[in-house]
Amino acid sequence: MQLGFSSTILSRDKADTLLLLSACLFVLLPHTGHVSWWVTPACGAMLAWRAWLTLTGRRLPTSWFLLPIAAVLMLGVYQTFHTFLGREAGVTMLVLLLTCKLLEMHAKRDLFVVLFLSFFLLLSSFFYQQTIASALFALFATTLLLTAQVAFQYTGLVPSLKQKFKLIGTLIAFAIPLTLCAFLLFPRIQGPLWGLPNDAHNGRSGLSDTMAPGGISNLVLSEEIAFRAKFDQPIANKSLLYWRGVVMTDFDGKTWRPVPTDSSKPSAELDFSGKTIKQEIILEPQGQRWMFALDLPTGLPIVSEGRVGELSQSMELRSLEPIVQRRRYEISSAPQYRLQPNVSPSDMDKSLQLPNGYNPQMHQFATELRQRYSNDNDLINAVLNFFRKEAFTYTLEPPLLGINSVDDFLFKSRAGFCEHYASAFVNLMRAAKIPARIVTGYQGGYLNDVDGYFEIRQSDAHAWAEVWLKNRGWIRVDPTAAVAPERVMQNLARAIPQRGFAGLVGNAFSGISWVNALHMRWNALNNSWNQWVLNYNHNTQRSLLDSLGFKNIDWAQLSLLFFITGSLFIAMIAFPLTRNKATLTALDRVYFSFCTKMAKQTASRSIEEGPAAYLQRLKIVLPADRLPPVERFLNFYIAAKYGKHDLSERRVVQGLKALLAACH
């Protein structure tokens, strides 16, 4: 029997399909920033096509029509990646296959294929981001997927979308305690459960192991956090915040590179005085081997995993393996030091070499300076005064330089970023027979008052110089400070204000205290998320169990503890549910009101009597003039309760109440 109400709302099948399409859209959204440029419009077109077919009630395309489309898409994947293997190619294929499968849903089996593909793609989004925001987004997408799955399971009277969301929200709330129990207590092994393909860590931004004009100025456009640092004492002078990274000695006329490490040579001679500064560093994954410390580190980093790094003769901290996971370590540094003060001149050859045939004007200028200043200190100060007094500018957008890049910079453009000044300074020093080299790393940082960590971002990337002086060793000289001292004493934004819309927005919000406080709290929350969620490993779990009194527990005992705790959580959830009596739906409440009304007037309904049998008995006992409204009520109730229709529960209940009022 069809319910006797006209409706302009969507049919149930259409509404459920559009809900599934919406859920798939939210699954695909996190991948739009990572897949190739053509994949997003292709997926958008297929989703729009599927939505149009649903709204217009047209048939889905045949398999013979879809196969050529799928073949063209797979050909596009191969043309883009030249393989079907690896993370990027694999994720791209899954994204395309999901949208194709939505056009081939003919049975409930196809629905489950779409749902499983969606859950897998949702999981793969964590290859790219594992932030709090991405986790919340994934939780919302999971809620949509589960709601869509439940929507297809109903027969008969279908609850409203709000009620479906409420049901899934309740189920997720029940699952959260058990999830937390599994996260905290499930035995953790050292090392990953599986290996990732070779391209799994591509696309990470970070300091390179080479330096050429434009390299660092491109990096500083990123506001991503490179690492966080906390000190054991207040740091009053921000000019001390030089974070040593890569030391580069080889120069081919354009690009600087570090020299290979010779493990057979003894460690560098280092004398330091004064108080050392202890730091706790939380280094973000960047795919390189470089680790950072305040200039100058006094030894190897201290980590819970054992020895993970080495200290080169140039006092670079290098990881034994590429850093593809967040790493926490402690290290001490000495701001006052003498590094290799008694090195023989033969060991300085590499720090004096310059490529032949480049930068003749620079060589002539260095010769004139050397003739004028016999003392190395005086010559260094003369070059810094040259940068300071001449019309040099500090900019992120310097003009392009020719083959003789140092000549073009010193005597023509006179505009550049830190790598230009450091490279030109070291070239001048070497041409004047003073050993010199490049050091790249980070300078500065922003103190987050909420958690006490300095936040060092990619925008703090910097390059400076080191020169070797007799009896003093290697000393730091930052030529950028001669041109833009505010870069060292404050930050890059003070030295080079942002322009355009970004600068307008930044200036508008920079002076609002509550905005800055909210920003710091959000960064502190992310830091806690990184340490206690993303970095929750075997050692962290051991520390937690030790603090709870479970010392020296093995994996079998931990598994038993997890099973017992999980069972208790399940019991706590299940026990209140067993005490709850079954609640009547609004539809059944109207039906029981009808039964009460009939019992007062004619005949009561037996407990075992269904509505159809009750109707047959009422036809016998009721007068003919009272039977039609009763028959209409019960037939409507039977169709609403057990039949298939497209009306909402609210509209059905309203209609049933109107029919009940007519029964007397």
Side-chain angles (χ1 to χ4, degrees), residues 68-108:
I69 296 176
V72 170
L73 293 174
M74 292 303 103
L75 180 62
V77 173
Y78 189 82
Q79 288 292 325
T80 302
F81 301 104
H82 305 291
T83 182
F84 290 120
L85 304 177
R87 183 190 70 174
E88 301 301 332
V91 170
T92 302
M93 283 194 295
L94 287 175
V95 166
L96 294 169
L97 289 174
L98 174 60
T99 51
C100 287
K101 189 62 182 175
L102 287 169
L103 290 164
E104 197 200 18
M105 288 179 55
H106 301 292
K108 187 165 288 190

Side-chain angles (χ1 to χ4, degrees), residues 416-472:
F417 200 58
C418 60
E419 65 263 37
H420 298 82
Y421 288 98
S423 179
F425 180 83
V426 172
N427 270 271
L428 281 170
M429 292 299 104
R430 291 186 175 188
K433 305 305 179 185
I434 299 177
R437 61 192 184 188
I438 295 284
V439 182
T440 60
Y442 297 86
Q443 198 285 321
Y446 185 79
L447 177 62
N448 190 322
D449 294 327
V450 177
D451 58 6
Y453 279 87
F454 272 85
E455 298 170 357
I456 294 87
R457 300 178 179 273
Q458 300 297 352
S459 58
D460 295 313
H462 194 50
W464 60 92
E466 283 186 337
V467 297
W468 186 86
L469 299 178
K470 189 175 180 180
N471 297 325
R472 294 182 60 187

Side-chain angles (χ1 to χ4, degrees), residues 232-234 272-278 294 298 332-336:
D232 65 341
Q233 57 187 279
F272 57 88
S273 60
K275 190 176 181 180
T276 59
I277 301 175
K278 186 178 179 181
L294 206 62
T298 60
S332 295
S333 299
Q336 300 176 14

